[in-house]
């Protein structure tokens, strides 16, 4: 991954501009005490600012070098945590092996996005839930204030004291951190305005449908908006609204599952987290390639337990990650222009993610239902 990032062997497109340009611009503004305001690309909860500022802890390196070093440290932390979690009776080293072997399927992209650090928080939160639910809840809250989705790691906590401790700890930690950030910075909640305006990204399931429609005559166009390539044209807003409805339906399904679940194993919190993030990924208006980092991390946590129901789901995520690298950055121009090859890649990648989500739901429900 480092060799690919250096460009010494092969040039696969400049994907490091986000760190060099966008992240560093935000860093300069955050260092002055302001969250980016009136910046359509700032769409992240306020604790993301702490991640953007973190490279300042290594002042002897450039911002880009420090960012990559911190990402590698996050990667190492996840690896060690998974290896330790997989040691012992009823556990498996498969999770650590999956993380180590699957992450490079995304080529060098993970090194130039902060999603590895977010995934580290989610992984640590899930693993801590076993014995220290309060610590797990606090870590989940920190992750949620960095990129929202780690809050879903709380979904599968066992009923009773563990759930109360984890959820209360998460709420208190989130409120405390949000209060500190609001005092330390201005425009803390400006990101909410930008999130509501997002359209349909070309790599989402809705975007795949629109790409196929473009092949048969639909007259939509692709425009760079809100930091991503999005569709504009007739019916785009309808597809966006349908995606939101699907997300709401997924949330309702998860609530129903939580209420009806009767059996918990040591792997249930892990399985529920993977299932929830898969559902919110496939129903999202945006499926950026770095979303696969989240899914690989959560699948790796599942594989630390021999009781997991998600092994087939983890297997589907491997080709999905590999094809995501073809989608971006290798053949991204084909996807943007909507050629038959670009559409085929998106159909296969998103078909794998959709199949993984459906299979994950089925296996989670089946393993937690009451015995007949």
């Amino acid at each position: 991954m480092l060799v690919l990032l250096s460009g010494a062997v092969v040039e696969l497109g400049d994907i490091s501009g986000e760190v060099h340009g966008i992240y560093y611009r935000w860093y300069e503004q955050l260092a002055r005490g302001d969250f980016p305001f009136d910046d359509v690309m700032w769409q992240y909860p306020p604790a993301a600012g702490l991640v953007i500022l973190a490279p300042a802890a290594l002042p002897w390196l450039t911002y880009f070098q420090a960012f990559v070093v911190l990402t590698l440290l996050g990667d190492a932390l996840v690896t060690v945590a998974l290896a330790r979690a997989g040691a012992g009776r009823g556990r498996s080293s498969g999770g650590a092996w999956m993380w180590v072997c699957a992450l490079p399927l995304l080529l060098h992209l993970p090194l130039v996005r902060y999603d590895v650090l977010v995934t580290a928080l989610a992984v640590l939160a899930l693993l801590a839930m076993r014995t220290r639910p309060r610590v797990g809840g606090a870590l989940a809250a920190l992750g949620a204030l960095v990129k929202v989705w780690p809050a879903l790691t709380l979904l599968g906590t066992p009923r009773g004291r563990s759930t109360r401790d984890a959820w209360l700890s998460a709420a208190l930690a989130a409120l405390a951190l949000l209060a500190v950030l609001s005092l330390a910075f201005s425009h803390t909640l400006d990101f909410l305005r930008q999130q509501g305006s997002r359209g349909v990204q070309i790599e989402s399931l809705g975007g795949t449908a629109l790409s196929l429609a473009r092949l048969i005559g639909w007259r939509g166009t692709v425009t760079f908006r809100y930091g991503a390539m999005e569709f504009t044209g007739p019916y785009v807003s309808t597809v966006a609204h349908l995606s939101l409805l699907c997300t709401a339906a997924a949330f309702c399904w998860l609530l129903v599952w939580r209420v009806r679940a009767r059996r918990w194993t040591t792997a249930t919190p892990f399985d529920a987290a993977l299932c929830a993030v898969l559902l919110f990924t496939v129903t999202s208006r945006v499926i950026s390639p770095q979303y696969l980092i989240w899914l690989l991390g959560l699948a790796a946590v599942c594989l630390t337990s021999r009781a997991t129901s998600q092994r087939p789901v983890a297997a589907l995520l491997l080709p999905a990650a590999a094809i995501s690298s073809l989608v971006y950055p290798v053949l991204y121009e084909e996807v943007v222009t909507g050629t038959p090859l670009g559409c085929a890649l998106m159909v296969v990648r998103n078909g794998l993610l959709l199949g993984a989500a459906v299979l994950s739901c089925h296996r989670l429900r089946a393993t937690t239902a009451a015995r007949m």
Side-chain angles (χ1 to χ4, degrees), residues 319-344:
I323 295 172
S324 288
S325 295
L326 294 178
V327 170
Y328 182 88
V330 178
L331 297 172
Y332 195 53
E333 189 62 31
E334 301 282 340
V335 177
V336 172
T337 55
T339 65
L341 175 59
C343 289

Side-chain angles (χ1 to χ4, degrees), residues 35-61:
F35 278 101
F37 57 93
D38 295 329
D39 185 340
V40 297
M41 298 183 72
W42 179 256
Q43 304 151 9
Y44 309 109
L50 300 179
V51 179
I52 300 300
L53 286 170
L58 304 174
W60 57 90
L61 300 175

Side-chain angles (χ1 to χ4, degrees), residues 21-356:
I22 300 170
Y23 289 3
Y24 187 69
R25 184 179 77 239
W26 291 342
Y27 165 79
E28 292 182 311
Q29 191 164 357
L30 287 161
R32 296 193 297 267
D34 295 323
F35 278 101
F37 57 93
D38 295 329
D39 185 340
V40 297
M41 298 183 72
W42 179 256
Q43 304 151 9
Y44 309 109
L50 300 179
V51 179
I52 300 300
L53 286 170
L58 304 174
W60 57 90
L61 300 175
T62 67
Y63 184 84
F64 181 79
Q65 291 169 340
F67 185 91
V68 173
V69 167
L70 290 175
T71 302
L72 289 170
L73 289 174
D75 179 10
L77 179 61
V78 172
T79 304
V80 171
L82 290 170
R84 293 184 62 183
R89 186 175 182 182
R91 303 181 185 183
S92 168
S93 62
W97 280 111
M98 177 167 182
W99 176 255
V100 169
C101 297
L103 196 64
L105 292 176
L106 295 170
L107 304 180
H108 49 313
L109 176 76
L111 298 182
V112 289
R113 299 294 187 271
Y114 76 79
D115 296 85
V116 168
L117 297 173
V118 181
T119 302
L121 290 171
V123 168
L124 293 175
L126 277 172
L127 295 177
M129 296 285 184
R130 281 175 167 171
T131 55
R132 292 175 289 177
R134 292 178 182 175
V135 174
L139 288 170
L142 176 57
L145 283 179
V146 174
K147 212 164 188 180
V148 180
W149 68 266
L152 297 172
T153 58
L154 296 167
L155 179 70
T157 52
R159 290 194 181 97
R161 183 174 179 178
S162 293
T163 290
R164 290 193 300 271
D165 287 349
W167 290 14
L168 180 59
S169 174
L172 293 176
L175 289 172
L177 182 55
L178 189 58
V180 170
L181 291 171
S182 298
L183 291 172
F185 298 91
S186 60
H187 306 285
T188 307
L189 300 179
D190 269 27
F191 76 98
L192 293 172
R193 290 187 303 163
Q194 315 306 340
Q195 271 293 344
S197 303
R198 292 300 298 264
V200 179
Q201 189 203 31
I202 60 175
E203 296 168 63
S204 65
L205 262 73
T208 300
L210 292 173
S211 292
L212 293 173
R214 191 164 53 160
L215 280 178
I216 58 175
W218 176 66
R219 295 186 177 181
T221 58
V222 174
T223 307
F224 184 77
R225 299 172 66 243
Y226 299 96
M229 303 302 293
E230 296 184 350
F231 278 109
T232 59
Y235 311 114
V236 172
S237 61
T238 301
V239 173
H241 290 142
L242 284 173
S243 295
L244 290 173
L245 286 174
C246 288
T247 299
F251 182 71
C252 291
W253 186 91
L254 290 167
L255 286 180
V256 171
W257 166 79
R258 171 83 194 185
V259 170
R260 292 186 174 181
R262 291 293 178 268
R263 291 191 295 141
W264 254 260
T265 69
T266 56
T268 299
F270 308 158
D271 296 352
L274 176 59
C275 180
V277 175
L278 263 170
L279 284 175
F280 278 87
T281 297
V282 299
T283 60
S284 174
R285 294 169 292 172
V286 180
I287 304 182
S288 298
Q290 57 264 31
Y291 288 19
L292 271 294
I293 301 171
W294 316 346
L295 298 173
L296 293 176
L298 294 178
V301 175
C302 292
L303 294 184
T304 63
S305 173
R306 297 186 186 279
T308 184
S309 64
Q310 302 295 301
R311 284 191 184 84
V313 177
L316 287 176
L317 292 177
L318 296 176
I323 295 172
S324 288
S325 295
L326 294 178
V327 170
Y328 182 88
V330 178
L331 297 172
Y332 195 53
E333 189 62 31
E334 301 282 340
V335 177
V336 172
T337 55
T339 65
L341 175 59
C343 289
L345 287 172
M346 292 314 312
V347 167
V348 174
R349 198 285 300 271
N350 286 342
L352 286 168
L353 290 180
L354 182 60

